[in-house]
């Protein structure tokens, strides 16, 4: 199938959403507008609490309302933690006469409606709202939920006939969303995908416990056996239903598809938070695993839609009050990558030290910065990483130095990592100890204790005085088309042990959705190099791609050095680079082949709102060229 035909077939499945890119012919044609999701209340990443990590399915009204009171009393609510989210375990059954969902009122007594056969969460959401909080609920995109597959011993599983136990959104999307948002007053929904994954033919629930089988399937072990377009269409439809049901726009749509079904590429067009991995556990190495899945995709998150490496484990297991170094690192990392900050701890056990971590106002300020730039990895090895986060003030960056392992490491921070001038002083303030360090120029060495993360606010002189490098402002970039033809599993730096099978797992840990556009490196993770010349900054992407830059009328010129990267796997077919401003072609390169020197592009963008960067390959190759918009910058003069 031709590239366009394939893309159109996928687009046709998406229905009539006005916010999804729907070029009538060619997805590389400029859209002339921002096509990532802007619906819902997620201009900055959500903050709150979720019941799962603390209580699994053993959530109840007392625990929920106790948490709500604790959020208010400890000052966490005024620090920003507003959403109080119920996860799996709340449902009793789907009543067959009218398909209405019934609540397990033995654990949520206030949900029992006297003199009626209904149950309603309204009394509980009213109380949460009166406390200045917001309320979240949980469902599944298929017929059945994760606990029905993985927690068969839970006392809080849905009951009744097979049909009564079908508590997910499938076949009842409009009805359930109307009930949850209009009637019950929820403000947030997390939508899991176990219904498409854990109930395939041959699985224990289907074989042993009378559950039906339903596609399209998510096969975690194989993207080839995952119906990406079918699954995307279901989550896209739900995005539209949520927008219609919530005309005040005060809702959050969290897609919980664990990084599978290539959700990296499309989740940002529909949801406000997109899970990038399978579940976190209160273990250091598991935290590394989920963190890595989000940390390598800064260009796929922006105001309105955030990468979600799962909920916080601070307070639990290896992040408890006896492991404050680990707890601080976990919190620092989630703040740096703009992950939703959802506490997953039983707050009745809170200690002053844990509270201080969760309330670190400097880190929360960085996390909630309205520019929405996820940190990029300025240096990364298996041992240590240097993460740099831009803020709305171009001369103020947040930098985290992270020791992933159990040994001590020396880390050198360079002015270059910050994209600050080499000869000018850089002031650092430690966002954990609050100490101000003597300014340094060029570079400065730090010693990191095992598992320690140092986080600094860095104030310096920008290397690029009259604008921004595209790779330092990922919140302004939407990768509308990333050129990935056949998604491959991510080469996760940290391969996590499966929480379900432990080391008995004969399958290798894999993860959906390889590659895509990268900051300051190629799509394959190498330094950018064109015809022998290295470039420290730029965006690496595949050919047949389109990036949207939210320039918002603030810049006058776009410049870049463009070409095929020396590490490209495709060496034969020339590519052309095109720059558009608000839908109009401004400049384009000559055809560029592997081995050609970089071409300098300079376009007068004259205050365009949306700048688009398109790379076309002459023919449609099976493996598109790896190309670079090296040194790409938006300039003010
Ligand atoms: C899945 C999700 C978890 C949690 C459980 C509930 O595993 O990834 O975050 O919601 O289901 O059963």
């Amino acid at each position: 199938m031709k590239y366009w035909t394939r893309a159109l077939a996928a687009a046709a499945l998406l229905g009539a959403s006005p916010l999804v890119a729907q070029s009538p012919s060619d997805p590389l044609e400029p859209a002339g507008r921002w096509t990532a999701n802007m619906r819902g209340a997620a201009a900055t990443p959500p903050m709150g609490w979720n019941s799962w990590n603390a209580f699994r399915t053993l959530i109840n009204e007392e625990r929920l309302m106790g948490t709500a009171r604790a959020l208010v009393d400890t000052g966490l609510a005024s620090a920003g933690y507003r959403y109080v989210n119920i996860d799996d375990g709340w449902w009793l059954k789907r009543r067959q006469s009218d398909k209405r969902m019934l609540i397990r009122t033995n654990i949520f007594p206030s949900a029992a409606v006297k003199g009626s056969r209904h149950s309603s969460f309204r009394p509980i959401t009213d109380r949460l709202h009166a406390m200045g909080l917001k309320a979240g609920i949980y469902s599944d995109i298929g017929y059945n939920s994760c606990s029905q597959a993985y927690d068969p011993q839970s006392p809080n599983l849905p009951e009744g006939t097979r049909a009564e136990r079908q508590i997910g959104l499938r076949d009842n999307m409009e009805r359930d969303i109307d009930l949850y948002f209009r009637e019950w007053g929820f403000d947030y929904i997390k939508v899991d995908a176990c219904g498409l994954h854990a109930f395939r033919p041959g699985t224990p629930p289907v074989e042993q416990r009378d559950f039906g089988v339903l596609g399209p399937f998510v096969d975690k072990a194989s993207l080839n056996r995952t119906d990406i377009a079918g699954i995307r269409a279901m989550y896209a439809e739900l995005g539209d239903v949520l927008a219609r049901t919530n005309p005040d726009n005060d809702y959050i749509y969290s897609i919980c598809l664990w990084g599978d079904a290539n959700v990296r590429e499309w989740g940002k067009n529909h949801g406000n938070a997109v899970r990038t991995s399978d579940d976190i556990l209160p273990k250091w190495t598991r935290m590394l695993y989920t963190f890595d899945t989000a940390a390598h995709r800064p260009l796929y998150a922006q105001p309105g839609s955030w990468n979600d490496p799962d909920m916080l484990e601070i307070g639990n297991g290896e992040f408890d009050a006896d492991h404050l170094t680990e707890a601080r690192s976990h919190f620092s990392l989630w703040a740096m990558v703009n992950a939703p900050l959802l506490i997953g701890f039983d707050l009745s056990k809170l200690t002053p030290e844990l509270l201080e971590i969760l309330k670190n106002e400097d880190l929360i300020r960085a996390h909630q910065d309205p520019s929405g730039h996820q940190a990029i990895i300025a240096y990364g090895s298996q041992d240590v990483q240097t993460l740099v986060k831009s803020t709305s003030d171009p001369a103020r960056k947040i930098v985290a130095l992270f020791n992933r392992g159990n040994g001590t490491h020396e880390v050198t921070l360079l002015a270059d990592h910050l994209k600050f001038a080499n000869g000018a002083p850089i002031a650092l303030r430690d966002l954990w100890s609050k100490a101000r360090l003597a300014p340094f120029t060029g570079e400065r060495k730090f010693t990191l204790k095992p598992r320690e993360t140092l986080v600094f606010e860095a104030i310096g002189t920008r290397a690029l005085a009259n604008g921004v490098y595209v790779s330092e402002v990922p919140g302004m970039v939407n990768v509308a088309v990333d050129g990935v033809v056949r998604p491959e599993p991510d080469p996760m730096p940290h391969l996590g042990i499966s929480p379900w099978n432990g080391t008995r797992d004969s399958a290798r840990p894999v993860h959906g959705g390889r590659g895509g556009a990268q900051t300051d490196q190629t799509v394959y993770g190498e330094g950018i190099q064109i015809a022998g010349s290295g470039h420290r900054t730029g965006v690496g992407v595949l050919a047949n791609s389109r990036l949207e830059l939210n320039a918002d009328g603030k810049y006058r010129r776009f410049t870049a050095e463009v070409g095929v990267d020396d590490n490209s796997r495709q060496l034969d077919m020339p590519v052309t680079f095109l720059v558009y401003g608000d839908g109009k072609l401004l400049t384009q390169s000559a055809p560029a082949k592997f081995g050609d020197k970089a071409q300098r592009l300079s376009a007068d963008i004259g205050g365009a709102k949306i700048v688009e960067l398109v790379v076309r390959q002459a023919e449609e190759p099976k493996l598109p060229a790896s190309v670079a918009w090296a040194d790409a910058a938006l300039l003010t003069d």
Side-chain angles (χ1 to χ4, degrees):
M1 217 194 291
K2 288 294 288 176
Y3 178 68
W4 313 148
T5 333
R6 217 174 32 234
L8 279 174
L13 277 162
L14 297 177
S17 162
L19 290 154
V20 173
Q22 283 183 46
S23 164
S25 51
D26 170 359
L28 300 184
E29 280 297 308
R33 67 198 170 87
W34 185 252
T35 61
N37 181 47
M38 300 283 285
R39 303 177 293 188
T44 60
M47 294 173 68
W49 180 89
N50 172 294
S51 55
W52 182 252
N53 288 350
F55 300 122
R56 293 186 71 96
T57 58
L58 302 181
I59 181 62
N60 59 39
E61 184 170 338
E62 207 184 317
R63 287 177 158 169
L64 190 80
M65 295 316 292
T67 300
R69 269 190 305 279
L71 286 172
V72 173
D73 293 349
T74 55
L76 284 166
S78 39
Y81 297 89
R82 291 255 153 72
Y83 288 93
V84 181
N85 296 350
I86 305 171
D87 207 280
D88 209 338
W90 64 265
W91 24 43
L92 182 64
K93 62 172 69 162
R94 184 179 295 285
R95 188 163 64 196
Q96 288 309 292
S97 55
D98 58 359
K99 306 286 188 243
R100 185 181 163 100
M101 282 297 301
L102 300 182
I103 301 161
R104 185 171 277 283
T105 50
N106 64 327
I107 55 173
F108 290 103
S110 301
V113 183
K114 280 206 189 78
S116 153
R117 285 157 42 250
H118 283 351
S119 49
S120 170
F121 268 124
R122 184 53 101 161
I124 290 176
T125 61
D126 278 351
R127 258 151 53 207
L128 292 173
H129 289 146
M131 296 166 84
L133 300 166
K134 301 262 185 198
I137 194 160
Y138 170 85
S139 192
D140 195 284
I141 197 80
Y143 283 132
N144 293 108
S145 75
C146 298
S147 60
Q148 289 176 304
Y150 298 118
D151 288 76
Q153 309 308 332
S154 166
N156 293 337
L157 291 183
E159 293 173 4
T161 63
R162 185 195 274 200
E164 285 173 324
R165 285 180 285 120
Q166 290 182 342
I167 41 63
L169 297 171
R170 183 66 176 254
D171 297 344
N172 290 290
M173 201 183 265
E174 299 264 0
R175 180 196 324 277
D176 286 0
I177 296 303
D178 193 77
L179 179 69
Y180 301 162
F181 285 85
R182 283 218 183 94
E183 204 176 318
W184 290 352
F186 282 101
D187 313 287
Y188 188 120
I189 190 165
K190 167 176 168 184
V191 184
D192 229 316
C194 282
L196 305 182
H197 162 68
F199 301 86
R200 288 172 296 151
T203 55
V206 169
E207 295 294 306
Q208 298 153 21
R209 300 203 297 274
D210 185 31
F211 285 96
V213 164
L214 162 88
F217 296 126
V218 178
D219 185 336
K220 284 175 187 286
S222 165
L223 269 170
N224 283 332
R225 296 169 64 90
T226 296
D227 180 352
I228 295 173
I231 292 159
R232 175 179 181 170
M234 295 171 85
Y235 276 100
E237 184 190 352
L238 178 54
D240 293 342
V241 171
L242 281 162
R244 277 203 303 277
T245 313
N246 292 281
D248 66 355
N249 209 38
D250 189 4
Y251 70 97
I252 288 189
Y253 174 23
S254 154
I255 296 179
C256 182
L257 187 50
W258 326 294
D260 285 308
N262 205 30
V263 69
R264 182 211 70 240
E265 193 228 326
W266 53 265
K268 65 185 172 53
N269 290 359
H270 310 290
N272 300 117
V274 181
R275 273 278 291 275
T276 53
S277 74
D278 214 325
D279 295 9
I280 195 169
L281 292 176
K283 292 187 79 65
W284 179 256
T285 56
R286 192 69 188 168
M287 186 279 290
L288 290 180
Y289 152 72
T290 74
F291 171 68
D292 284 353
T293 60
H296 292 270
R297 47 183 70 174
L299 290 169
Y300 291 82
Q302 55 284 118
S305 190
W306 309 101
N307 285 322
D308 177 7
D310 206 358
M311 301 168 293
L312 295 170
E313 289 284 14
I314 289 162
N316 302 326
E318 295 179 14
F319 304 95
D320 69 6
D322 295 329
H323 298 85
L324 294 176
T325 302
E326 284 83 351
R328 271 186 216 108
S329 285
H330 180 11
F331 192 72
S332 305
L333 298 170
W334 262 236
M336 291 299 285
V337 299
N338 290 339
L341 293 180
L342 295 175
I343 300 169
F345 177 53
D346 176 354
L347 290 179
S348 68
K349 303 196 179 119
L350 200 58
T351 65
E353 292 79 14
L354 290 169
L355 178 61
E356 203 182 308
I357 292 174
L358 293 167
K359 266 169 88 169
N360 184 320
E361 58 183 22
D362 287 308
L363 278 163
I364 292 176
R365 182 175 163 220
H367 174 257
Q368 292 290 305
D369 189 279
S371 60
H373 304 306
Q374 174 173 327
I376 64 169
I377 301 177
Y379 173 83
S381 72
Q382 299 267 350
D383 298 317
V384 294
Q385 286 169 317
T386 301
L387 300 151
V388 176
K389 187 180 199 303
S390 294
T391 69
S392 353
D393 173 354
R396 178 176 170 266
K397 300 226 170 180
I398 311 297
V399 54
L401 309 175
F402 172 38
N403 182 353
R404 297 165 61 95
N406 290 333
T408 302
H409 281 290
E410 274 197 348
V411 177
T412 307
L413 174 65
L414 305 180
D416 254 3
H417 290 149
L418 299 161
K419 296 188 166 65
F420 282 168
N422 253 310
I426 297 171
L428 294 180
R429 186 166 66 91
D430 185 324
L431 299 188
W432 284 113
S433 76
K434 313 297 180 191
R436 282 176 199 281
L437 278 58
F440 75 97
T441 41
E443 62 177 65
R444 182 183 162 140
K445 212 178 273 174
F446 295 87
T447 304
L448 296 182
K449 296 191 203 92
R451 298 183 173 180
E452 184 180 35
T453 305
L454 296 175
V455 190
F456 300 103
E457 173 189 72
I459 312 267
T461 306
R462 295 178 52 74
L464 184 67
N466 58 335
V468 288
Y469 289 113
V470 172
S471 63
E472 65 180 326
V473 289
M476 282 168 58
V477 182
N478 175 35
V479 185
V481 183
D482 65 13
V484 175
V485 174
R486 184 62 241 153
E488 295 168 49
D490 259 336
M492 279 187 300
H494 190 91
L495 294 175
I497 297 172
S498 157
W500 323 120
N501 299 319
T503 55
R504 289 184 301 278
D505 210 345
S506 56
R508 290 170 189 270
V510 289
H511 189 263
R514 159 84 195 252
Q518 294 289 341
T519 52
D520 300 344
Q521 57 186 332
T522 71
V523 286
Y524 302 114
E526 304 114 347
I528 293 170
Q529 184 182 303
I530 302 170
S533 296
H535 296 263
R536 287 195 73 102
T537 86
V539 174
V541 68
L542 292 172
N544 290 332
S545 56
R546 181 168 64 81
L547 310 178
E548 297 163 2
L549 312 183
N550 189 4
D552 201 22
K554 295 186 188 121
Y555 301 92
R556 304 222 60 80
R557 208 148 45 88
F558 169 82
T559 58
E561 306 275 328
V562 299
V564 176
D565 192 273
D566 288 353
N567 281 301
S568 181
R569 275 64 161 164
Q570 162 61 255
L571 307 178
D572 306 324
M573 300 174 193
V575 300
T576 307
F577 294 78
L578 305 101
V579 180
Y580 297 84
D582 291 335
K584 288 194 210 67
L585 181 64
L586 303 177
T587 187
Q588 72 181 75
S589 72
K593 292 196 307 297
F594 170 74
D596 288 353
K597 283 208 342 229
Q599 299 177 44
R600 180 160 181 81
L601 289 186
S602 176
D604 179 354
I605 56 173
K609 287 206 168 331
I610 301 288
V611 173
E612 284 169 83
L613 309 180
V614 173
V615 188
R616 286 183 183 274
Q617 196 138 32
E619 293 163 53
E620 181 207 342
K622 288 212 175 65
L623 181 64
S626 166
V627 302
W629 295 89
D631 306 332
L634 290 162
L635 305 177
T636 50
D637 55 20

